[in-house]
């Protein structure tokens, strides 16, 4: 073997397994050099830009070892080996670890794990970690549909989200717990609008469950509050807007996936801002908007809510352009104008103005117009919204979902019709045949 393994280890104080790794390296049983860390900050510094690291050894019982740390290390092309903690029952492989080694490992077990997962560092090697891989979340293993509701502040986004959840929930009552409403805004207000107990579980609790495991549907539902009169379950959002700093992308993504595996429909109430690091160079801004960005990546339908005034029309058009530039397909977008004036002539004028402001974006759906209704009393009493608000929103969502189903069916048919896959550089590709 040319070169040697460069290992960075994070362990609890006086961990016997770390002493054994050092002994194996010093004796030559494993061609490796071992660097000990005194904490997470030291670990991240040792695997930072320009460092050459084969693998990181993580103590399964150490503070801060979770899904997000593993995800961050693997995004930098570093193998992650977890030393199992007998007092913890986490499935580290499901959390992303390349290998799990028992605490009382034999020398050949550690060597076999390194040979299988890590690469030795040679003198001529130089691994550039300055730009770790940051790809958009890929398809997740869920069957449900995500309906994202987004818009400028003060336009009734949360109200439209409730109407969307009520419409989906009341038309699919054959299966209980089939629709969920989740509040992903930094200044979350769905809990207040539903008069939920401030001490009840919510978004942070679900994300915390996903840090060290994959919760089953019953555990996911336990974080929601049942809104029986309207036919959906509610996941309250952050209790304080500043708590966004406690969110981590991998755990947040897993929480979203867990919701989709549990519910047929998930309606997400989002902030009207998708700005990220590629826009202004600030990773903090991207972290601040991570919930909105994660939801938009996986949304089947995106309702863009606004007012039909001159300023409101401009804000909706600007947000549509930002969402399309972010990567959402224009075919998934559905403009919704709240408190719209009555009359077909006025509404035709609004639609024409929006089409002019979004020229070139490929926006296909006609706007949905919602009449002005006093719903404060209905919110206080937790009774269903009037059909004049629910039906237009639900009808537009169902149209998009049917279109998405037809598109998916067409793609599946094309993939099984004997046509070849696209050949990417470095791969031979293969022919698909109908079974």
């Amino acid at each position: 073997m040319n070169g040697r393994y460069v290992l960075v280890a994070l362990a609890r104080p006086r961990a016997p397994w770390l002493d054994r790794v050092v002994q194996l390296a010093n004796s030559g049983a494993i061609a490796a050099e071992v660097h000990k860390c005194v904490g997470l900050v030291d670990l991240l510094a040792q695997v930072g830009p320009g460092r050459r690291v084969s693998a990181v050894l993580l103590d399964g019982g150490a503070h801060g070892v979770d899904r997000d740390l593993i995800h961050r290390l693997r995004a930098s092309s570093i193998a992650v080996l977890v030393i199992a903690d007998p007092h913890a029952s986490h499935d580290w492989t499901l959390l992303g670890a390349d290998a799990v080694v028992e605490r009382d490992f034999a020398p050949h077990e550690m060597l076999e794990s390194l040979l299988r997962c890590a690469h030795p560092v040679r003198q001529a090697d130089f691994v550039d970690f300055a730009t770790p891989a940051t790809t958009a979340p890929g398809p997740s293993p869920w069957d449900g549909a995500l309906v994202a509701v987004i818009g400028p502040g003060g336009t009734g986004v949360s109200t439209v989200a409730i109407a969307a959840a009520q419409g989906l929930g009341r038309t699919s009552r054959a299966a209980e717990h089939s629709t969920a409403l989740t509040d992903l805004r930094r200044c979350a207000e769905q809990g207040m609008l539903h008069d939920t107990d401030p001490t009840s579980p919510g978004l942070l609790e679900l994300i915390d469950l996903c840090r060290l495991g994959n919760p089953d549907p019953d555990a996911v539902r336990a974080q929601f509050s049942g809104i029986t009169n309207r036919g959906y379950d509610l996941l309250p959002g952050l209790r304080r807007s500043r708590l966004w700093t406690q969110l981590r992308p991998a755990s947040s993504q897993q929480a979203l996936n867990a919701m989709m595996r549990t519910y047929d429909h998930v309606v997400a109430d989002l902030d009207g801002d998708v700005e990220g690091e590629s826009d202004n160079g600030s990773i903090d801004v991207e972290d601040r908007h991570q919930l909105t960005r994660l939801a938009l990546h996986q949304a089947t339908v995106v309702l863009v809510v606004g007012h039909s005034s001159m300023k409101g029309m401009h804000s909706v058009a600007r947000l549509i352009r930002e969402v399309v530039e972010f990567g959402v397909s224009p075919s998934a977008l559905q403009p919704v104008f709240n408190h719209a004036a009555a009359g077909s002539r006025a509404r035709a004028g609004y639609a024409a103005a929006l089409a002019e402001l979004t020229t070139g974006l490929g926006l296909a759906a006609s706007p949905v117009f919602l009449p002005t209704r006093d719903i404060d009393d209905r919110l206080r009493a937790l009774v269903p919204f009037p059909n004049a608000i629910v039906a237009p929103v639900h009808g537009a969502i169902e149209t998009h979902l049917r279109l998405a189903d037809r598109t998916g069916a067409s793609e599946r048919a094309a993939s099984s019709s004997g046509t070849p896959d696209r050949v990417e550089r470095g791969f031979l590709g293969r022919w698909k045949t109908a079974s």
Side-chain angles (χ1 to χ4, degrees):
M1 178 182 67
N2 295 325
R4 56 183 176 176
Y5 293 107
V6 177
L7 308 178
V8 177
L10 176 64
R12 288 179 291 182
R14 298 179 295 279
W17 69 263
L18 180 54
D19 293 335
R20 297 177 63 197
V21 173
V22 173
Q23 291 171 4
L24 291 173
N26 291 340
S27 66
I30 297 178
E33 60 178 80
V34 183
H35 302 270
K36 302 179 183 180
C37 298
V38 295
L40 284 177
V41 174
D42 188 20
L43 169 65
L44 296 176
Q46 295 205 38
V47 300
R51 302 286 184 171
R52 291 174 289 179
V53 177
S54 301
V56 172
L57 309 181
L58 298 176
D59 192 322
H63 175 71
V65 176
D66 58 14
R67 182 191 301 273
D68 286 276
L69 177 61
I70 295 172
H71 182 270
R72 182 169 182 175
L73 294 171
R74 294 196 62 187
S76 296
S77 302
I78 301 174
V80 178
L81 281 66
V82 175
I83 311 301
D85 181 4
H87 302 293
S89 58
H90 310 310
D91 191 332
W92 294 109
T93 303
L94 283 179
L95 296 177
D98 294 283
V100 179
V101 183
E102 295 300 324
R103 190 167 292 269
D104 55 349
F105 60 85
H108 73 275
E109 293 174 333
M110 176 60 71
L111 180 57
E112 289 173 357
S113 296
L114 290 173
L115 288 172
R116 185 173 69 253
C117 304
H119 299 284
V121 174
R122 291 174 287 271
Q123 187 66 31
D125 289 343
F126 182 83
V127 183
D128 183 10
F129 298 115
T131 55
T134 55
T135 58
S140 53
W142 47 258
D143 296 323
L146 177 63
V147 178
V149 187
I150 189 172
T155 56
V157 175
S158 297
T159 300
V160 174
I162 294 174
Q166 177 180 315
L168 291 168
R170 292 176 69 86
T171 56
S172 56
R173 297 301 294 275
E176 293 185 7
H177 302 290
S178 62
T179 301
L181 171 60
T182 177
D183 194 338
L184 303 185
R185 300 170 68 95
R186 283 184 295 106
C187 297
E189 294 180 333
Q190 289 290 357
M192 177 274 296
L193 294 176
H194 289 81
D195 194 27
T196 58
D197 184 351
T199 63
S200 62
L203 179 63
L204 278 181
E205 284 74 16
L206 178 57
I207 292 176
D208 194 55
L209 283 179
C210 295
R211 283 182 56 248
L212 295 170
N214 295 333
D216 59 32
D218 290 337
V220 173
R221 290 192 183 101
Q223 312 308 312
F224 285 73
S225 301
I227 311 300
T228 307
N229 287 348
R230 298 185 188 139
Y232 57 82
D233 291 349
L234 171 71
L235 182 69
L238 302 177
R239 296 181 182 88
R240 297 287 187 275
S241 60
R242 63 175 179 269
L243 295 180
W244 69 267
T245 57
Q246 297 184 20
L247 304 176
R248 294 295 179 267
S251 296
S252 299
Q253 178 69 70
Q254 185 62 27
L256 190 59
N257 293 344
M259 287 185 246
M260 309 316 297
R261 289 192 297 266
T262 303
Y263 292 94
D264 293 335
H265 303 100
V266 173
V267 179
D269 187 358
L270 306 179
D271 285 316
D273 203 332
V274 298
E275 190 177 14
E277 184 181 12
S278 60
D279 300 307
N280 59 15
S282 172
I283 189 61
D284 290 336
V285 170
E286 182 164 317
D287 286 345
R288 185 179 175 93
H289 302 147
Q290 66 174 276
L291 293 176
T292 295
R293 293 167 64 88
L294 289 174
L296 289 178
H297 270 303
Q298 296 185 222
T300 305
V301 188
V302 180
L303 306 182
V304 185
V305 183
H307 287 159
S308 55
S309 63
M310 182 174 66
K311 191 265 184 189
M313 188 75 66
H314 171 76
S315 297
V316 168
R318 179 184 60 196
L319 183 55
I320 287 175
R321 189 172 298 277
E322 291 176 354
V323 169
V324 171
E325 291 174 353
F326 175 70
V328 176
S329 171
S331 63
L333 298 180
Q334 176 61 61
V336 178
F337 288 107
N338 208 2
H339 302 292
S344 58
R345 183 173 182 178
R347 294 183 174 184
Y350 299 147
L354 180 64
E356 183 178 351
L357 290 171
T358 57
T359 299
L361 295 182
L363 189 63
S366 299
V368 168
F369 298 97
L370 302 182
T372 299
R373 290 290 188 273
D374 187 0
I375 61 170
D376 280 356
D377 290 339
R378 293 177 179 267
L379 287 170
R380 295 189 187 96
L382 277 181
V383 297
F385 279 10
N387 195 55
I389 293 178
V390 175
V393 174
H394 178 245
I397 292 173
E398 287 292 344
T399 299
H400 280 274
L401 293 180
R402 286 194 296 269
L403 178 62
D405 288 341
R406 288 199 298 269
T407 302
S410 299
E411 291 176 351
R412 289 191 295 271
S415 67
S416 61
S417 62
T419 57
D421 286 338
R422 177 183 176 87
V423 178
E424 303 291 347
R425 181 178 298 177
F427 296 90
L428 293 178
R430 64 186 185 281
W431 285 82
K432 289 185 177 179
T433 57
S435 55

